[in-house]
Amino acid sequence: MQRFHVHLHVDDLAQNIAFYTRLFGAEPTRVERDYAKWMLEDPRVNFAISTRGHHPPGLDHLGFQVDAKEELADLKARAQAADMAVLDEGSTTCCYARSDKHWITDPQGIAWEHFHSLENIPVFHEASGAPAANSACCAPTAAAPAPATTNCCAPRSGSNPSTCC
């Protein structure tokens, strides 16, 4: 089963946690110093906010979280059949989770993440040699895909694809 995913950058985490907790009528399922996530069932949404990176507040990316690797393969096949450029990250760590994922970018430059979460981890991102130490960890640039070996990065409009996030 798929779950719609929305990730926003915010400038004040505590204020936004309070706002979205009231809006959703539910406490976040995960809260870290720079991140919060609600796994809502009705509607089925993975809604995340973070203060990571140097991005202005607003939409970071959208996506679909799936429950099985077969569903992830189906999403990838659909994207490839539609002649969409696919940035396949494979197994990666991001947003306090280990996941298998790939990215596509829509005509407006909005990044879409397709991912299957495998387990929670205690850090936002595990170092991999990519310059991601203080990065946002999410969403590729539309200009050009980041190298497939880059962990936890997704292309952003107008950004240098050789830099992580």
Side-chain angles (χ1 to χ4, degrees), residues 75-92:
L75 287 174
K76 185 176 181 181
R78 230 186 304 164
Q80 290 170 327
D83 291 329
M84 295 178 191
V86 175
L87 170 61
D88 190 349
E89 283 193 288
S91 182
T92 188

Side-chain angles (χ1 to χ4, degrees), residues 5-154:
H5 173 58
V6 178
H7 186 128
L8 301 178
H9 280 287
V10 299
D11 54 7
D12 184 320
L13 194 66
Q15 180 182 35
N16 280 277
I17 288 173
F19 173 83
Y20 287 111
T21 295
R22 289 189 308 269
L23 180 67
F24 299 145
E27 294 291 324
T29 55
R30 179 137 195 186
V31 176
E32 300 293 340
R33 67 175 178 74
D34 55 0
Y35 178 85
K37 175 174 67 175
W38 290 258
M39 295 291 281
L40 305 171
E41 291 302 322
D42 186 17
R44 211 166 133 78
V45 175
N46 170 341
F47 184 86
I49 59 176
S50 68
T51 57
R52 307 235 357 139
H54 305 287
H55 307 289
L59 179 65
D60 183 83
H61 66 276
L62 300 169
F64 291 107
Q65 180 178 12
V66 297
D67 293 334
K69 64 182 179 180
E70 295 81 12
E71 292 174 299
L72 187 61
D74 289 345
L75 287 174
K76 185 176 181 181
R78 230 186 304 164
Q80 290 170 327
D83 291 329
M84 295 178 191
V86 175
L87 170 61
D88 190 349
E89 283 193 288
S91 182
T92 188
T93 61
C94 186
C95 302
Y96 298 96
R98 188 173 324 283
S99 302
D100 289 331
K101 71 172 71 177
H102 62 268
W103 297 88
I104 57 173
T105 304
D106 79 4
Q108 291 71 234
I110 298 172
W112 282 80
E113 175 185 28
H114 295 162
F115 64 104
H116 176 219
S117 293
L118 306 171
E119 65 178 323
N120 288 326
I121 59 173
V123 294
F124 194 82
H125 169 69
E126 292 176 330
S128 67
N134 195 25
S135 74
C137 187
C138 298
T141 60
T149 57
T150 302
N151 221 7
C152 208
C153 287

